[in-house]
Amino acid sequence: MTRHIPHSLTVFRILLIPVLVVLYFWNMPNRELFVTGVFVFAALTDWLDGFLARTMGTTSKLGAFLDPVADKLIVSTALVLLVSDSTVLGNVVHPMVFAVAVSIIIGREIVISALREWMAEMGERGVVKVGVLGKVKTAFQMVSIALLLYGKPINGLPIFKIGEMAFYIAAGLTLWSMWAYLHAAMPYLLEKSDT
């Protein structure tokens, strides 16, 4: 039974997506706190399910597929919520810059997912495995999104502005990590097709 805990956490993280959306649009006291709490909880379960799967020896192909999908879904949903919010766009340095950063992060996920699938078909999946840069990028991404979702000052600390600056750093790291993956895969991408 315990071997199913990592999978259950991943599925639970996916089920949190509609909860995040409903809470984001629900006009209630401390809404930001609840929204941020759901997102942070989802981010923590992302780390926890991988940790449990490795320590319990229950890694599986299903888990390897579902875990990154759940991560990308929750991040993309949060970013769509933020970029569609006129209050958020009114507080960022420039709405276009923020929208470009959002596009970079979501676009990178699509490109790298397609690249991984293609490399796996060629039997070269290890060429585009997650590295340290990808983990740093993910950490910046998760922290910055959580700060942007909360957005309220804490003891005079401008949480939203800190989150915005961290988000632009995350976008820069996203471009860098995408280049690193594409560079590693370039010899395979430039091979002539047999057809």
Side-chain angles (χ1 to χ4, degrees), residues 13-23 77:
R13 192 159 77 252
I14 293 170
L15 294 175
L16 283 176
I17 293 169
V19 175
L20 181 72
V21 173
V22 168
L23 287 174
T77 300

Side-chain angles (χ1 to χ4, degrees), residues 101-153:
V102 168
S103 299
I104 286 169
I105 290 173
I106 293 176
R108 181 261 188 203
E109 298 305 340
I110 294 167
V111 169
I112 299 306
S113 293
L115 181 65
R116 283 194 180 123
E117 182 182 340
W118 185 75
M119 294 298 286
E121 286 177 14
M122 295 182 59
E124 300 290 347
R125 185 168 178 81
V127 173
V128 286
K129 64 183 178 183
V130 177
V132 175
L133 181 57
K135 291 178 180 179
V136 172
K137 179 269 304 177
T138 299
F140 260 94
Q141 201 172 272
M142 295 301 196
V143 170
S144 65
I145 293 170
L147 294 174
L148 288 168
L149 287 170
Y150 186 71
K152 290 185 173 180

Side-chain angles (χ1 to χ4, degrees), residues 29-136:
N30 299 314
R31 176 190 66 89
E32 298 84 1
L33 189 60
F34 289 108
V35 169
T36 307
V38 168
F39 183 80
V40 169
F41 184 73
L44 291 175
T45 61
D46 179 31
W47 171 82
L48 184 61
D49 61 16
F51 173 76
L52 289 176
R54 287 186 297 276
T55 56
M56 296 166 65
T58 58
T59 55
S60 68
K61 290 180 181 178
L62 177 64
F65 165 73
L66 275 182
D67 185 58
V69 168
D71 177 40
K72 288 167 181 50
L73 286 173
I74 197 90
V75 166
S76 297
T77 300
L79 292 178
V80 168
L81 290 171
L82 287 167
V83 82
S84 67
D85 190 332
S86 59
T87 304
V88 169
L89 295 179
N91 287 323
V92 295
V93 171
H94 196 289
M96 184 184 69
V97 173
F98 186 73
V100 167
V102 168
S103 299
I104 286 169
I105 290 173
I106 293 176
R108 181 261 188 203
E109 298 305 340
I110 294 167
V111 169
I112 299 306
S113 293
L115 181 65
R116 283 194 180 123
E117 182 182 340
W118 185 75
M119 294 298 286
E121 286 177 14
M122 295 182 59
E124 300 290 347
R125 185 168 178 81
V127 173
V128 286
K129 64 183 178 183
V130 177
V132 175
L133 181 57
K135 291 178 180 179
V136 172

